[in-house]
Amino acid sequence: MKVNEIFNLAIKKGIEADFRGEEGIEKLLKRRREKFERLSESEKEEFDKEIFENPYLDSRILHIAQDKEIKKVLVGIDIEPAEILLAKEIGGIDLIIAHHPLGKGLAHLPDVMDLQCDVLNYYGVPINIAEGLMKERISEVARGLNAINHQRTVDTAKLLGISLMNSHTPCDNLAAKFLKDLIKKEKDNLIRLENLLNLLKEIPEYKEAMKIGAGPKIFVGEPERKCGKIAITEITGGTEGSPKLYEKMATAGIGTIIGMHISEEHKKEAEAANINVVIAGHISSDSLGMNLFLDELEKRDIEIIPCSGLIRISRIS
Ligand SMILES: [Fe+2]
């Protein structure tokens, strides 16, 4: 497989696991094409044409040093210049795969946050409320990312001649789908928060994270409190949504949410809305999503070297 094929496979897997379904994604790409057609010639020139094919703009091919068959990849959650130097030191690395966005993927992180509106709507929050509250939050995230040195790691990869790509939302979609399916299968046994916590603790990535004190934890609620309706609203969709959404989630009938991480402001709002919050763990949840994709590469005989926090668990028997 070449870099392009690996990247396209990540996008394909992300679409298959997407809450909006393959049809929903097709509609999204069609709408982007229609909007493009309405632009003036000069506006069309500024346009990033990749948006017609790739629904996840936080995930990109950032550099192709040599367009060759990929046999060995270095994979990490956060890739920084240090990891690029590490690849050079290890030697024989054909491609580095990052999870968190880099370069123009990072600049476009806010673009994937719309996904959260549809996820919230799936769990019963009216779409107008989800869109209204997320709009404010998306622009806040965009402003925050504006000042970042987006290309630092990409420049290092170019200077050292190493191919680099990242897969963020496609892999977060895989983690969200995995958890959603598991919750659905076990729903009769998930009465109280302690049941949910114990279920998460059985997942190998979380089990491994527990060894360093970063396992699943209840951030809001008590172990003996009842879960009510469990929603996977904070695993995929770029980054944290609006703190004002918890009250709306409670009204929509959600009792417990499973997230990767949560800020203090969000935690306080969840508490005020009586929403239980179970935090599965950040890097471990990122690892889970990456692993489900990396298994596809392993099946194709690509050697995977984990770094930068990735807890590599293979599910290929
Ligand atoms: Fe993450």
Side-chain angles (χ1 to χ4, degrees):
M1 285 183 108
K2 293 191 172 179
V3 179
N4 267 305
E5 292 167 304
I6 291 177
F7 181 77
N8 290 340
L9 180 64
I11 299 296
K12 182 175 169 273
K13 288 279 146 197
I15 294 174
E16 282 170 11
D18 201 291
F19 271 77
R20 297 166 290 190
E22 292 182 43
E23 210 176 289
I25 299 295
E26 195 34 61
K27 275 185 197 158
L28 172 104
L29 296 176
K30 187 169 168 258
R31 208 175 125 70
R32 284 183 185 171
R33 286 192 286 269
E34 286 167 357
K35 272 171 103 175
F36 176 76
E37 287 312 322
R38 290 198 292 270
L39 296 177
S40 69
E41 283 312 309
S42 61
E43 283 171 323
K44 278 182 183 171
E45 271 174 36
E46 285 175 17
F47 220 76
D48 179 0
K49 312 285 186 303
E50 202 183 320
I51 75 160
F52 303 133
E53 310 292 331
N54 176 4
Y56 312 112
L57 297 179
D58 63 348
S59 303
R60 305 281 186 142
I61 294 174
L62 299 147
H63 180 58
I64 299 182
Q66 266 185 303
D67 200 17
K68 58 175 184 180
E69 272 306 302
I70 306 297
K71 296 192 179 74
K72 193 166 162 183
V73 292
L74 181 71
V75 191
I77 303 300
D78 294 292
I79 297 297
E80 293 190 348
E83 280 75 23
I84 312 274
L85 285 165
L86 175 68
K88 204 76 190 167
E89 191 71 24
I90 294 171
I93 302 289
D94 302 313
L95 169 69
I96 301 181
I97 306 177
H99 175 59
H100 286 141
L102 294 164
K104 66 175 176 178
L106 183 54
H108 284 82
L109 175 70
D111 288 272
V112 299
M113 291 177 73
D114 275 336
L115 162 62
Q116 291 186 43
C117 300
D118 293 297
V119 173
L120 287 158
N121 187 234
Y122 172 88
Y123 286 111
V125 177
I127 191 71
N128 52 313
I129 293 176
E131 283 188 341
L133 292 175
M134 281 304 295
K135 187 174 182 270
E136 203 181 313
R137 174 70 182 138
I138 291 170
S139 62
E140 185 184 287
V141 171
R143 285 193 301 280
L145 286 169
N146 199 46
I148 278 175
N149 185 356
H150 303 92
Q151 285 293 88
R152 186 180 178 199
T153 303
V154 181
D155 286 342
T156 312
K158 284 180 182 170
L159 283 166
L160 291 178
I162 296 188
S163 298
L164 176 66
M165 61 164 269
N166 88 291
S167 173
H168 187 227
T169 294
C171 291
D172 284 347
N173 276 356
L174 288 170
K177 170 95 171 26
F178 180 95
L179 293 171
K180 188 176 138 201
D181 291 347
L182 183 69
I183 300 298
K184 196 175 163 198
K185 192 169 136 248
E186 297 290 328
K187 80 176 189 314
D188 294 340
N189 304 319
L190 298 174
I191 312 297
R192 297 175 194 276
L193 290 186
E194 59 194 1
N195 306 133
L196 177 58
L197 203 62
N198 289 337
L199 179 69
L200 291 176
K201 284 179 177 175
E202 282 170 28
I203 298 172
E205 284 83 351
Y206 298 138
K207 210 178 249 182
E208 205 51 44
M210 280 161 62
K211 292 182 189 165
I212 60 154
K217 289 182 180 73
I218 298 171
F219 270 52
V220 180
E222 302 294 329
E224 61 277 12
R225 292 265 286 270
K226 289 187 178 163
C227 299
K229 184 161 120 186
I230 302 169
I232 320 285
T233 48
E234 300 194 0
I235 297 289
T236 192
T239 187
E240 275 189 323
S242 166
K244 295 177 188 163
L245 278 161
Y246 294 105
E247 187 203 323
K248 310 296 174 192
M249 288 189 215
T251 313
I254 294 173
T256 299
I257 58 158
I258 303 177
M260 281 199 198
H261 48 88
I262 191 167
S263 71
E264 275 306 294
E265 187 193 1
H266 285 68
K267 179 188 166 281
K268 279 181 192 144
E269 291 297 327
E271 230 156 18
N274 292 302
I275 296 257
N276 300 313
V277 179
V278 174
I279 293 300
H282 184 190
I283 305 306
S284 46
S285 299
D286 282 342
S287 294
L288 169 63
M290 285 296 274
N291 283 331
L292 296 167
F293 163 58
L294 293 171
D295 286 350
E296 297 298 320
L297 301 188
E298 201 181 295
K299 278 186 212 161
R300 291 159 174 89
D301 288 328
I302 294 174
E303 186 189 346
I304 293 150
I305 301 180
C307 74
S308 181
L310 173 70
I311 305 163
R312 173 71 186 137
I313 305 284
S314 169
R315 287 177 171 78
I316 301 170
S317 44

